[in-house]
């Protein structure tokens, strides 16, 4: 019984990544193939605030790009849409974001959103 519960927990935790896009921005793996995004992810991975952030691929006003989702209790973040080029669109309307998948999320992700 314990093995079954463990298997189910592992399977459920893996399910959160089923929606990861396999191709975007004309690259196979945006997290490693886009230098600016790879650098941003590295900064998030090494931050003490890591559990409160994840990188999502989204569509915003018909354009595919990225959004840094957070639930950081001590951060004053502004919603920014990142185009494939790394260019930023600031002051976005987050209600217009269409989630396409998770690009990066730490194992200790602490947010209970979505």
């Amino acid at each position: 019984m314990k093995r079954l519960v463990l298997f189910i927990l592992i399977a459920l935790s893996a399910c959160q990544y089923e929606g990861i896009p396999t191709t975007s921005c004309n690259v196979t793996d945006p997290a490693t193939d886009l230098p600016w995004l790879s650098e941003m992810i590295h900064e998030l991975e090494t931050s003490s605030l890591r559990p409160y952030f994840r990188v999502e691929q989204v569509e915003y006003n018909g354009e595919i790009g990225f959004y840094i989702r957070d639930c950081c209790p001590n951060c004053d973040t502004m919603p920014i849409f990142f185009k494939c080029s790394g260019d930023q669109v600031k002051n976005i309307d987050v209600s217009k974001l269409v989630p396409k998948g998770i690009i990066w999320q730490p194992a200790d992700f602490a947010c209970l959103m979505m």
Side-chain angles (χ1 to χ4, degrees):
M1 184 65 168
K2 288 181 183 179
R3 288 184 184 177
L4 178 61
V5 171
L6 180 61
F7 173 78
I8 291 172
L9 288 174
I10 291 171
L12 288 175
S13 67
C15 289
Q16 67 181 334
Y17 298 103
E18 283 184 358
I20 295 177
T22 55
T23 306
S24 63
C25 301
N26 298 319
V27 296
T28 304
D29 182 3
T32 57
D33 296 341
L34 297 173
W36 67 268
L37 185 59
S38 178
E39 183 179 327
M40 185 180 297
I41 289 171
H42 176 72
E43 288 175 14
L44 290 170
E45 286 176 330
T46 57
S47 168
S48 62
L49 299 173
R50 175 192 66 253
Y52 303 109
F53 291 89
R54 78 176 181 195
V55 179
E56 297 179 1
Q57 182 175 328
V58 297
E59 181 178 330
Y60 183 68
N61 290 337
E63 185 171 1
I64 296 294
F66 306 94
Y67 179 68
I68 311 302
R69 176 90 51 187
D70 77 89
C71 66
C72 181
N74 300 316
C75 302
D76 185 20
T77 57
M78 174 178 40
I80 300 173
F81 173 76
F82 294 89
K83 296 181 178 186
C84 290
S85 64
D87 292 338
Q88 300 177 10
V89 179
K90 297 179 180 181
N91 299 319
I92 64 168
D93 179 355
V94 293
S95 70
K96 293 183 179 180
L97 292 175
V98 179
K100 298 294 182 182
I102 300 168
I103 297 297
W104 173 83
Q105 176 175 299
D108 56 348
F109 188 61
C111 304
L112 296 175
M113 57 179 73
M114 276 110 335

